[in-house]
Amino acid sequence: CRIGGNVATNAGGFNVLRYGMTRDLVLGLEVVLADGRIWNGLKVLRKDNRGYDLKQVFIGSEGTLGIVTAAALKLFPRPTQIETALVGLRSVEDAMALYARARRDCSDLLTAFEL
């Protein structure tokens, strides 16, 4: 797995609950276009109102519009502790109820939830 591939597919991964999709983490991109030109959008500003946010066009484009060669990303500190639970439930509905309760009670501490 490479960062450019994650950007091209707008990957989510199993930590998407806490950190969001790749689109939420990309601050800027550099992309090689089909004709060989390099589009430089490697900005690191969280908000830029000076025009269209063209990097959004490339995120999730599956490489059809260009190849991502560099990315500026939001990073987070490594968690100081991690807890994992494996829970057996009777139904999908029970699992969804557990998920709703975990989101409510754990708020942003919940990183992943698999069914």
Side-chain angles (χ1 to χ4, degrees):
C1 168
R2 303 271 189 219
I3 297 296
N6 285 336
V7 172
T9 60
N10 190 28
F14 57 85
N15 290 320
V16 71
L17 294 178
R18 181 168 182 136
Y19 303 109
M21 299 292 288
T22 299
R23 181 176 307 282
D24 303 319
L25 305 175
V26 174
L27 297 173
L29 291 176
E30 176 187 86
V31 179
V32 176
L33 304 174
D35 64 1
R37 289 181 295 148
I38 296 175
W39 178 77
N40 187 343
L42 266 177
K43 302 172 188 144
V44 293
L45 300 172
R46 286 182 176 254
K47 184 173 181 175
D48 186 352
N49 291 335
R50 295 180 291 171
Y52 295 112
D53 190 4
L54 292 178
K55 74 177 181 295
Q56 299 298 335
V57 174
F58 295 103
I59 299 171
S61 69
E62 302 281 342
T64 59
L65 303 175
I67 304 299
V68 175
T69 54
L73 305 172
K74 283 191 260 183
L75 300 178
F76 297 88
R78 182 182 292 256
T80 56
Q81 68 183 60
I82 297 172
E83 303 294 335
T84 302
L86 177 63
V87 181
L89 299 168
R90 293 177 189 256
S91 67
V92 172
E93 291 77 19
D94 290 347
M96 295 309 297
L98 177 63
Y99 169 70
R101 183 172 180 177
R103 287 290 287 184
R104 183 185 69 239
D105 295 347
C106 297
S107 185
D108 65 341
L109 296 176
L110 184 64
T111 301
F113 192 99
E114 293 284 330
L115 172 62

